Amino acid sequence: MACLSRRLFLVSRPLVAGRAFSYSRSSRSWWTPEPVTSLTTVPVRMKSKSKKSQVAQVDERMLEGHVDVDILKKSMQVAIESLEWQFTKAITARPTPALLDHVKVTIDGKPRRIKEVAEISQQKDGFVISCLDKPDTVDSISDALHGAGLDLTCIKQAKGILRVPLPKPTREYKTKLEKLAKVAAEKARLGIRRVRSNVLNDIKKLESTSRDDIRRFEQQVDLIGKMYISRVEEMLAAKVQELK
């Protein structure tokens, strides 16, 4: 199963002084993430050439006037929010209808999400998908679910109504969920690294800035990225433990 799709919108604001940068932020207004400032106090352990562990702290004051740290952290926080949403709503032993968010069905030649063409309700033993306006749609939805790699069984309960029982959380099922969690975590890492890479590229283009200052700016941005990636690792470890 691919990582669940979520609607994102772009917000453009200056990130590096004198340059523009765009970042994506979740449109789920109900979601209240952890304050991004809390991550700035987390030390990052780095390996030196002597292979000894060192603790490096972020000094945001060093970036003042050159990098908009608030926007940088908000951009990276997008990946954390998305991963948290997936871990709590979809990649879980007790799935919600969000499990079906990424599944698309072809209607009139166009791919549509199931929730756009049908009503999905949750029952104790699974989901009920209702297409009373267009009963024939349930056949296309059933085909889409069978091809989604979710190991779900679709049962026609009545005309225009499809029942989807959820499998019991067997060891095999939990193993599949663990694999999905690792895929989602890797996508979160890539999102954070992409933000970091874009900022580092902009820093290299700063004018009237010494090479030593540029190296210091790059180190600070890299440390901030490592803190968010560290948060992804913690979330993944907790999810794997939960599924055991």
Side-chain angles (χ1 to χ4, degrees):
M1 181 180 71
C3 181
L4 296 183
S5 302
R6 303 180 62 196
R7 293 199 310 169
L8 302 176
F9 63 88
L10 294 178
V11 180
S12 296
R13 289 182 59 184
L15 184 64
V16 175
R19 304 189 64 81
F21 183 79
S22 297
Y23 71 90
S24 298
R25 187 171 183 180
S26 166
S27 61
R28 293 178 179 272
S29 57
W30 56 266
W31 177 251
T32 304
E34 298 180 20
V36 292
T37 53
S38 65
L39 289 176
T40 62
T41 62
V42 180
V44 178
R45 295 193 173 274
M46 302 179 65
K47 290 185 178 179
S48 64
K49 293 182 179 179
S50 61
K51 296 184 179 179
K52 292 183 179 180
S53 179
Q54 297 179 336
V55 176
Q57 294 282 357
V58 174
D59 185 358
E60 295 181 4
R61 295 171 298 178
M62 189 181 297
L63 299 173
E64 288 181 0
H66 303 283
V67 176
D68 190 326
V69 178
D70 287 338
I71 300 302
L72 170 61
K73 291 190 294 184
K74 288 177 181 178
S75 300
M76 292 181 174
Q77 181 69 14
V78 169
I80 301 297
E81 293 180 25
S82 178
L83 187 62
E84 183 75 37
W85 183 86
Q86 292 175 67
F87 280 1
T88 57
K89 297 294 182 180
I91 305 176
T92 171
R94 297 181 63 86
T96 69
L99 177 67
L100 310 181
D101 276 3
H102 80 291
V103 182
K104 294 186 177 181
V105 56
T106 301
I107 303 296
D108 297 329
K110 297 180 179 180
R112 305 277 297 279
R113 292 180 182 177
I114 293 178
K115 63 182 181 182
E116 295 176 352
V117 299
E119 180 180 342
I120 306 175
S121 58
Q122 186 164 11
Q123 295 186 346
K124 186 176 181 180
D125 61 343
F127 308 131
V128 173
I129 301 175
S130 303
C131 307
L132 299 180
D133 294 338
K134 295 183 177 181
D136 294 338
T137 304
V138 294
D139 293 329
S140 299
I141 293 176
S142 179
D143 292 339
L145 290 175
H146 283 143
L150 298 176
D151 292 334
L152 297 177
T153 301
C154 301
I155 303 172
K156 283 188 178 181
Q157 188 167 303
K159 187 175 182 180
I161 298 178
L162 197 66
R163 188 166 67 86
V164 185
L166 289 176
K168 293 183 179 180
T170 62
R171 180 64 257 172
E172 181 181 1
Y173 180 65
K174 289 183 177 180
T175 299
K176 290 183 179 181
L177 290 178
E178 184 176 329
K179 291 180 180 179
L180 292 175
K182 291 178 179 178
V183 170
E186 179 59 21
K187 289 191 175 183
R189 293 188 202 100
L190 291 175
I192 293 169
R193 289 169 183 154
R194 190 177 302 113
V195 172
R196 180 185 61 186
S197 178
N198 288 339
V199 178
L200 292 178
N201 288 336
D202 281 350
I203 287 176
K204 292 177 182 178
K205 299 174 184 178
L206 288 174
E207 299 177 356
S208 303
T209 306
S210 69
R211 292 184 179 180
D212 288 341
D213 283 342
I214 287 179
R215 279 195 292 269
R216 282 192 286 269
F217 298 158
E218 290 175 338
Q219 182 186 37
Q220 293 302 311
V221 171
D222 190 56
L223 288 175
I224 292 174
K226 287 179 183 295
M227 288 192 296
Y228 279 88
I229 289 178
S230 176
R231 175 59 179 149
V232 170
E233 301 302 339
E234 291 174 0
M235 293 169 64
L236 176 59
K239 174 54 65 174
V240 171
Q241 184 62 34
E242 173 192 318
L243 293 172
K244 289 188 179 300

